[in-house]
């Protein structure tokens, strides 16, 4: 393994200019002169691009410009002691110690782990003081090598899981750190938080979501923590694990500058009921949190990742298509795209010639508006299956899986295998991409892996399997599923409505609820441009059934307030809006407090709503929105009847269940 730093990569008392761009160019030139840069200009460009994201100046006169780049094939560290110091954006002034960290785009795990150890050393004053006192390049290389050779601290999440501390014992915190490149700031922030927590006498477990990999915090560690700190410049992976925890949130540089204040703030938030909290509910957090993820939990996580990224396409496309039908009529499907392309506001379509008999107010203007909206919606829906497939692959293989996953989604559309093909194609592309990322390849090839080799081979292999082997069976299965839904009439449709209603109410945002919702939204994607399809009825039944639990409990708190505590009555006020907006989670506080009475009652009400909706042929083109998307409903009367019927049944059952066996003393009037 090539050394990260040699004497050729060290410059003492360097004078390159007064701007940080001059320093970066000087360090990159040193890398080139040492024969460690395949493309020094590309290294400079990528370092500049990272610098534009956020400054790399740190307290204590340190600068760490860094990047992932195709300009180097081996991870490389260049060091300069600057005279005079140059400003890199730190609050306390210019930097006299500058490190250029260059990691190849392919990312060798062993080298990246060494770079993270260096990043942790940079926040230790003793290390930086020794660099300032060094008298030769050899001494600098020795100091850095010693820092890299020090045994790494065990990852916080891998430590023995702490047991729950008594209420009067020491409290613990958890934290996540992550920066865009995942090389330096991620680990420096973790080191700073750990040092500040030790100074404050508080236990902390930090999950570093960086390039060297991360060990997820265990569910027990998260559950026992009093608060969570997010020091990130990118999204937190599996954020739902921390749902409900008091939260301190900042960019990744803040703990490097002021970790003591963040620890103090987290402890203060832990005692403050009004403190900011991680959004979501505990029921959403379970499956993805542990380091030992079960097969079932992993399967659900992979599928739900695809569905969650797909839903915005469904939401935008479904609402736009529904608005297109509202303005242009259902017959806009035939000529809508041609109208959008060929006509303008000054050349409106001829309704008689095109047979558009259902445009709003028989207006050519509204027909044209409807055509524009329909075309936009259809375009959004065109990405539905590729997004589902692409982000399923992403959940399996991370970024290398996205491109082949999207292609497999497009292939699923080509072979008419719909969302089933998208799911299979996404899993296949993700598994192939993950397999290729584990190959041992020559050094010169590492930079090509993520940008060329993995997308090419993963797409080629998974595409061959999809087209040659799986295409026709998947298309036949999708056709059989569609035929089965089309054959649902009378009793069979009502039974499906009952099942969907029970699933939506059972765990209120948990796995069964999400499974039913995913079934509805993926089906909606295949049928939203149709004028009449059973998938639209499934979507209506699912959304209505999901609205019932919070509405029913809100109604129960009004009808019999004495059966509920004061906090529950307050929750009931919010549940009206949540239920009307199709946010089933509004029922969770009631179910958590009294599950044996509440959950069976709301399941019964949602089952009634699902059955009535299917029986009355209510259909819906929007995947979300509750009563605020009535314009997307076909059969508004049936929609309202189903909603009211289920709400009344569930509310009545909750009142009866809570009344049985309760003494007068147990009821707060």
């Amino acid at each position: 393994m090539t050394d990260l730093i040699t004497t050729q990569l060290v410059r003492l008392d360097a004078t390159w200019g007064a701007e940080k761009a001059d320093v970066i160019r000087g360090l990159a030139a040193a890398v080139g002169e040492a024969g460690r840069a395949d493309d020094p200009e590309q290294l400079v460009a990528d370092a500049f691009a990272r610098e534009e994201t956020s400054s790399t100046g740190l307290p204590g006169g340190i600068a760490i410009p860094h990047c992932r780049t195709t300009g180097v094939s081996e991870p490389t560290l260049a060091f300069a002691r600057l005279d005079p110091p140059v400003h890199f954006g730190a609050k306390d002034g210019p930097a006299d110690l500058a490190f250029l960290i260059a990691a190849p785009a392919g990312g060798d795990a062993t080298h990246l782990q060494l770079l993270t150890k260096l990043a942790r050393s940079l926040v230790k004053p003793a290390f930086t003081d020794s660099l300032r006192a060094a008298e030769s390049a050899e001494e600098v290389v020795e100091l850095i090598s010693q820092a890299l050779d020090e045994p790494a601290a065990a990852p916080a999440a891998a430590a023995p899981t702490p047991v729950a501390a008594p209420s009067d014992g020491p409290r613990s915190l958890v934290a996540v750190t992550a920066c865009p490149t995942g090389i330096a700031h991620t680990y420096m922030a973790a080191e700073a938080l750990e040092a500040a927590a030790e100074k404050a006498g508080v236990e902390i477990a930090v999950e570093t979501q960086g390039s060297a990999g991360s060990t997820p915090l265990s569910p027990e560690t998260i559950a026992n923590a009093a608060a969570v700190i997010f020091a990130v410049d990118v999204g937190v992976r599996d954020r739902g694990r921390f749902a409900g925890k008091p939260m301190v949130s900042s960019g990744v540089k803040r703990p490097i500058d002021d970790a003591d204040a963040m620890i103090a703030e987290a402890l203060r938030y832990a005692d403050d009921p009004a403190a900011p909290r991680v959004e979501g509910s505990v029921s959403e957090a379970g499956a993805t949190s542990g380091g030992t993820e079960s097969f079932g939990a992993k399967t659900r996580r992979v599928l739900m990742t695809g569905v969650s990224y797909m839903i915005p396409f469904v939401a935008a496309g479904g609402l736009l298509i529904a608005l297109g039908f509202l303005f242009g009529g259902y017959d806009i499907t035939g000529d809508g795209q041609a109208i959008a392309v060929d006509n303008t506001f000054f050349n409106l379509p001829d309704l008689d010639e095109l047979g558009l008999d259902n445009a709003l107010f028989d207006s050519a203007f509204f027909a044209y508006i409807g055509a524009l909206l329909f075309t936009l919606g259809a375009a959004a829906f065109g990405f539905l299956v590729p997004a589902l497939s692409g982000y399923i692959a992403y959940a399996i293989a991370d970024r290398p899986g996205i491109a082949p996953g999207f292609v497999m989604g497009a292939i699923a559309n080509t072979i008419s295998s719909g969302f089933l093909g998208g799911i299979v194609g996404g899993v296949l592309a993700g598994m192939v991409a993950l397999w290729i990322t584990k190959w041992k390849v020559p050094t010169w090839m590492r930079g090509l892996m993520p940008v060329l080799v993995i997308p090419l081979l993963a797409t080629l292999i998974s595409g061959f399997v999809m087209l040659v082997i799986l295409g026709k069976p998947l298309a036949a299965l999708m056709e059989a599923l569609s035929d089965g839904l089309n054959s649902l009439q009378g009793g069979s449709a009502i039974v499906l409505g009952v099942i969907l209603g029970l699933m939506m109410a059972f765990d209120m945002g948990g796995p069964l609820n999400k499974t039913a919702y995913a079934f509805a939204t993926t089906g909606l994607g295949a049928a939203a441009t149709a004028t009449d399809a059973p998938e639209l009825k499934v979507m209506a039944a699912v959304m209505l059934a999901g609205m019932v639990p919070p509405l029913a409990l809100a109604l129960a708190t009004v009808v019999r307030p004495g059966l509920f505590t004061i906090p529950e009555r307050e929750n009931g006020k919010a549940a009206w809006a949540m239920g009307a907006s199709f946010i089933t989670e509004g029922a969770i506080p009631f179910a958590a407090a009294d599950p044996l009475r509440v959950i069976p009652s709301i399941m019964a009400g949602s089952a009634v709503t699902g059955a009535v909706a299917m029986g009355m042929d209510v259909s819906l083109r929007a995947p979300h929105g509750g009563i605020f998307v009535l314009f997307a409903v076909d059969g508004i009367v049936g929609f309202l009847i189903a909603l009211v019927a289920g709400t009344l049944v569930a509310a009545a059952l909750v009142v009866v269940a809570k009344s049985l066996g309760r003494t007068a003393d147990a009821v707060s009037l």
Side-chain angles (χ1 to χ4, degrees), residues 162-253:
V163 297
S167 58
D168 57 349
R171 289 180 297 179
S172 63
L173 303 173
V174 290
V176 175
T177 61
C179 65
T181 53
I183 297 174
H185 287 86
T186 298
Y187 303 96
M188 297 175 74
E191 184 75 21
L193 286 171
E194 289 166 356
E198 183 179 2
K199 193 189 314 181
V202 178
E203 291 185 1
I204 189 169
V206 184
E207 181 179 315
T208 52
Q209 296 184 353
S211 296
S214 65
T215 302
L217 295 164
S218 71
E220 294 81 4
T221 300
I222 296 173
N224 294 333
V228 59
I229 296 172
F230 291 146
V232 297
D233 288 335
V234 294
V236 176
R237 291 199 291 269
D238 298 331
R239 185 184 177 100
R241 295 172 292 160
F242 305 93
K245 290 286 181 186
M247 170 185 65
V248 176
S249 183
S250 76
V252 74
K253 286 192 68 178

Side-chain angles (χ1 to χ4, degrees), residues 263-320:
I263 296 295
E265 188 175 348
L267 293 173
R268 187 170 69 252
Y269 279 2
D271 297 324
D272 184 359
R277 293 180 180 269
V278 182
E279 65 282 353
S281 60
V282 177
S283 64
E284 298 170 352
T288 63
S289 49
T292 56
E293 191 177 23
S294 68
F295 175 78
K298 184 174 182 178
T299 301
R300 176 179 175 269
R301 174 179 62 80
V302 167
L303 293 177
M304 288 301 103
T305 298
V307 170
S308 66
Y309 280 102
M310 177 200 73
I311 285 175
F313 293 95
V314 179
L319 290 171
L320 286 167

Side-chain angles (χ1 to χ4, degrees), residues 361 447 501 622:
F361 304 131

Side-chain angles (χ1 to χ4, degrees), residues 539-631:
M539 187 71 250
V542 164
M543 189 167 83
L544 281 164
M547 295 168 66
V548 164
L551 288 176
L553 289 160
L555 178 60
T557 61
V558 173
V559 173
R560 289 292 303 277
L563 296 174
F564 298 89
T565 64
I566 293 176
E568 284 177 330
R569 294 175 209 167
E570 292 301 314
N571 286 330
K573 297 175 183 178
W576 285 112
M578 298 178 77
S581 304
F582 180 36
I583 302 175
T584 314
E585 289 83 351
I588 288 176
F590 300 92
D594 194 1
L596 294 180
R597 291 184 176 93
V598 170
I599 293 177
S601 301
I602 60 177
M603 287 177 66
S606 291
V608 168
T609 290
V612 173
M614 293 294 284
M616 299 187 70
D617 293 330
V618 181
S619 63
L620 174 66
R621 299 179 182 281
H624 217 291
I627 63 171
F628 301 103
V629 291
L630 285 177
F631 64 85

